[in-house]
Amino acid sequence: MKTEEEERRRQEELEREARKKQREQERIEQEAKRREEEERSVKQSMSASRGRGRGRGSLGSSHVSTVYKVSRMIYSYLTKSAASGRRILPACRLIQAVTCSRSARSFSSSNALREPNASELVSFGQKHVARGLNRLVDDVILSGQGSYVTMASGKQLLDFTTGIGVTNLGMYMYYCVPRDPDVCAMLYIGHCHPKVSKAAAEQCMKVVHAQCSLAFHEPYLGLIDRLLPVVPQGLDTFFFWNSGAEAVEQSIKIARAVTGRQNIITMQGAYHGRTFGTMALTRSKTIYSIGSAPLMPGVFVTPFPYWHQLGYPPDVDEKTMVDECLHQLSLVLSQQTAPSDTAAIIIETVIGEGGYIPAPKSFLEGLRKVCDEHGIVLIFDEVQCGFGRTGKYFALEWSGVTPDVVVFAKGIANGFPLSGVVGKKALLDKMKPGSMGGTYAGNAVSCAAAIACADVMKEEKILENVEQRSGELFDALRKMQADPSLQISDVRGQGLMVAVEFGVGSHAPGSKPPLQGVAAKISKRCADKGLLILSTSVFEVVRFIPPLNISKDSLAEGVKIFESVVREVIHGAS
């Protein structure tokens, strides 16, 4: 005969089971309701696309039902995969559907809202946005979808700028109907990688602003944990900021504080920012500091091994340039700023705004030797070239040279504002408590996004994709260079940080004048034909900064547009 205690336990167990079944039933009902709402939303979106006209950016009514069916098949596939525990893409919401056949493609936005009037928006911006902010095109970016951006004018542009090396990680899913491979759909997940966006969104529901001078916060420490295995050995102490320029200024502050010296040596052609302190370090263009003198004192310039700045022909050997630049550095230290007055030498591991020129290994080794000899802090600025852009986590890995401080930003958080410095503990620990800080420094949401970026870099083998796409890009551009009529003097760079320079002229006295304004014309014309790409430096240089996980087809599409424009512009200028 059961005891009263056993009977009580049995009743409790039955009640627990009943509650469990009830919760499961509620979950099923909620899921069904959610799916009904999604179906209704998709139907409304597809219906809204009817009547918008044919061509790029819209679907004809005959395609709507096909797209809807395909989207439902994808949704069913994703939900079944999730239920079975199979690994799937982390974003299941249909943002944009695409139907295609082997002969043609047409596109449809799932956004059912009325599109803003492009001319009104542009006019408003021209009236109220500061004139000092330049733009490549007078249009408004509405959304980012994979490797593309959608403009208020209705244009879809293939983006080879990634916000100047920031939104490195995009994602899309391509799905074909098993019974009809001619009918496909594409889920665009946007410029923002879904895992990164999800991490930021979840952090927003925990804590948005955890001020770094009050206490540690978890994303800050978690990001350090992700970065320690990939930064150079011996650099283990971090401080996070918001922008690249702020991080550069912090590195200068560290160098001056720990050495007790004032002077800084920067490179000819360097770009380190446009804030008041970094303007003095930036020597790529005068536009960044024009009318702002006197600039921060104590800054001296030394040549960087770039053939055009040195007045050499493009085929000059590297050793000649490096030897001359190291010789000029020795003169700077003996004629302009004594080593005992020099706090730091700062250099971009790949010159950015100055023309996308990788620093030669022997030059970085020479700088390391000089700094070691005189107790000077060596700072590497990896704001643009870091986080996989060159095919290595940091561009400095190509040389094997370890600086005292590394500055980073841009790609670390895929569009969320975050920068930082990492250095040797013995160096950074000389800073007094309270001497470093900032209201938004190391924001929790940005740090959470950066942690997700670090995970994606590893999980999705981003560096391997960079290596493959880089080879394809260089092959295509060097094939163009082989055509003398295109007047391409140089194809250079590392990974997916690549430049094409036009004209064989030089700024040296008596030399043939270089082509004028060609790079800007190419950039503008590419935008007209569906490709966002930027010029750079005072020379005729166009730079390629596509997403690190760009597909082979998208890369080829961009190169095809670029080549057609180059032929049009160069032959028209001849």
Side-chain angles (χ1 to χ4, degrees), residues 7-23:
E7 181 63 22
R8 183 182 63 79
R9 289 178 180 175
R10 190 180 71 83
Q11 288 296 329
E12 290 177 352
E13 182 65 26
L14 291 173
E15 290 174 2
R16 278 196 297 269
E17 286 295 324
R19 287 195 298 269
K20 183 178 179 180
K21 289 180 180 179
Q22 183 179 359
R23 287 195 299 269

Side-chain angles (χ1 to χ4, degrees), residues 62-96:
S62 62
H63 293 87
V64 172
S65 61
T66 302
V67 174
Y68 173 69
K69 290 176 182 178
V70 172
S71 69
R72 287 304 310 144
M73 290 178 67
I74 296 172
Y75 179 78
S76 176
Y77 162 76
L78 293 172
T79 52
K80 289 178 180 178
S81 296
S84 65
R86 206 183 323 165
R87 184 180 182 274
I88 58 172
L89 294 179
C92 300
R93 178 173 172 263
L94 181 62
I95 298 176
Q96 184 181 51

Side-chain angles (χ1 to χ4, degrees), residues 159-181:
D159 185 9
F160 273 23
T161 72
T162 56
I164 313 185
V166 176
T167 53
N168 293 339
L169 304 174
M171 182 178 283
Y172 58 82
M173 176 182 175
Y174 193 74
Y175 179 82
C176 289
V177 180
R179 294 181 298 277
D180 187 356

Side-chain angles (χ1 to χ4, degrees), residues 153 169 201 251 391 458 474 478 504 542:
S153 62
L169 304 174
S251 72
K458 182 178 180 181
F474 273 104
R478 284 175 178 150
V504 294
V542 176

Side-chain angles (χ1 to χ4, degrees), residues 81-333:
S81 296
S84 65
R86 206 183 323 165
R87 184 180 182 274
I88 58 172
L89 294 179
C92 300
R93 178 173 172 263
L94 181 62
I95 298 176
Q96 184 181 51
V98 178
T99 62
C100 65
S101 67
R102 289 190 177 97
S103 59
R105 294 185 180 185
S106 55
F107 299 79
S108 170
S109 170
S110 66
N111 185 0
L113 299 178
R114 183 185 71 83
E115 293 183 357
N117 184 296
S119 61
E120 291 176 356
L121 288 172
V122 169
S123 178
F124 181 86
Q126 290 171 335
K127 182 179 180 180
H128 295 289
V129 174
R131 183 171 174 267
L133 182 62
N134 194 25
R135 288 172 298 281
L136 176 61
V137 295
D138 273 328
D139 208 332
V140 181
I141 298 174
L142 295 181
S143 63
Q145 301 155 341
S147 296
Y148 295 82
V149 290
T150 299
M151 315 299 285
S153 62
K155 294 180 179 178
Q156 272 195 329
L157 304 178
L158 181 57
D159 185 9
F160 273 23
T161 72
T162 56
I164 313 185
V166 176
T167 53
N168 293 339
L169 304 174
M171 182 178 283
Y172 58 82
M173 176 182 175
Y174 193 74
Y175 179 82
C176 289
V177 180
R179 294 181 298 277
D180 187 356
D182 287 346
V183 179
C184 302
M186 188 174 288
L187 297 182
Y188 279 106
I189 315 299
H191 263 48
C192 297
H193 192 286
K195 184 167 185 176
V196 178
S197 298
K198 180 182 178 183
E202 290 178 348
Q203 184 60 41
C204 283
M205 302 307 293
K206 296 177 182 177
V207 59
V208 173
H209 177 58
Q211 213 284 325
C212 62
S213 296
L214 299 179
F216 295 122
H217 63 72
E218 189 175 5
Y220 197 113
L221 301 179
L223 180 55
I224 292 175
D225 183 61
R226 293 299 200 285
L227 295 180
L228 278 172
V230 297
V231 297
Q233 190 173 4
L235 306 187
D236 59 359
T237 304
F238 294 79
F239 173 73
F240 296 123
W241 256 114
N242 308 294
S243 70
E246 288 174 304
V248 168
E249 290 194 353
Q250 185 63 58
S251 72
I252 299 304
K253 182 176 180 179
I254 291 169
R256 285 179 166 177
V258 302
T259 63
R261 307 169 185 174
Q262 176 180 337
N263 295 342
I264 309 295
I265 296 176
T266 188
M267 299 291 144
Q268 183 182 8
Y271 179 87
H272 297 291
R274 280 175 264 200
T275 58
F276 193 78
T278 57
M279 278 193 302
L281 304 171
T282 292
R283 299 303 169 105
S284 58
K285 295 177 184 176
T286 56
I287 187 63
Y288 299 131
S289 58
I290 192 168
S292 301
L295 304 179
M296 180 180 72
V299 177
F300 298 84
V301 182
T302 194
F304 179 91
Y306 169 31
W307 61 269
H308 211 155
Q309 288 181 166
L310 297 173
Y312 287 118
D315 59 355
V316 63
D317 64 283
E318 183 180 287
K319 186 177 185 304
T320 298
M321 293 190 293
V322 170
D323 288 348
E324 177 172 339
C325 289
L326 290 177
H327 171 65
Q328 291 298 323
L329 175 60
S330 71
L331 292 179
V332 170
L333 290 169

